[in-house]
Amino acid sequence: MKKTVLLFFVFAALYAESLSQPKNMLSFPEPHRPNGQTNALRLACPPLDTVRIGFIGLGERGGSMFRRMLKGEGVKAVALCGLVQA
C-alpha cells in the first residue's frame, strides 16, 4: 500500500510539472517516415548524445541493474525512487 501511495505522489508531481511547461516543450517532432510506412516498426530517429534513465524500485535486484545501465556510453541517471524499510 505504501508503494502505491508513493507512486501516486511521484506521478502527480511529474504531471503537475508538465502542466507548468510551455506546450511547445511537451511535443516532439515526428521523425521522417519512408513513403508507405504506417506503423512504428523500423521507425528511426537520430541517436541521442545522452540517454537519461530513471528507476522506480531499487529492491533486491534493482541496484545491480542500475549499475549495469550506467556502464553504457552516454547514459545518465536523472531519477531514483525506492523505499527504505526501517
Side-chain angles (χ1 to χ4, degrees), residues 5-83:
V5 172
L6 177 63
L7 287 176
F8 172 78
F9 284 114
V10 168
F11 287 119
L14 291 172
Y15 179 70
E17 176 65 21
S18 73
L19 292 178
S20 68
Q21 298 295 323
K23 294 300 178 197
N24 61 351
M25 291 189 68
L26 296 176
S27 61
F28 300 96
E30 182 177 334
H32 170 72
R33 292 180 184 226
N35 290 337
Q37 184 177 16
T38 58
N39 57 40
L41 295 176
R42 297 191 184 122
L43 182 64
C45 60
L48 300 171
D49 292 330
T50 304
V51 176
R52 293 165 187 84
I53 61 170
F55 267 73
I56 297 176
L58 294 171
E60 296 176 23
R61 295 184 302 194
S64 61
M65 174 68 80
F66 178 71
R67 285 188 293 277
R68 250 180 296 170
M69 294 293 262
L70 288 179
K71 289 183 180 181
E73 186 176 328
V75 176
K76 177 181 178 183
V78 295
L80 296 174
C81 181
L83 295 176

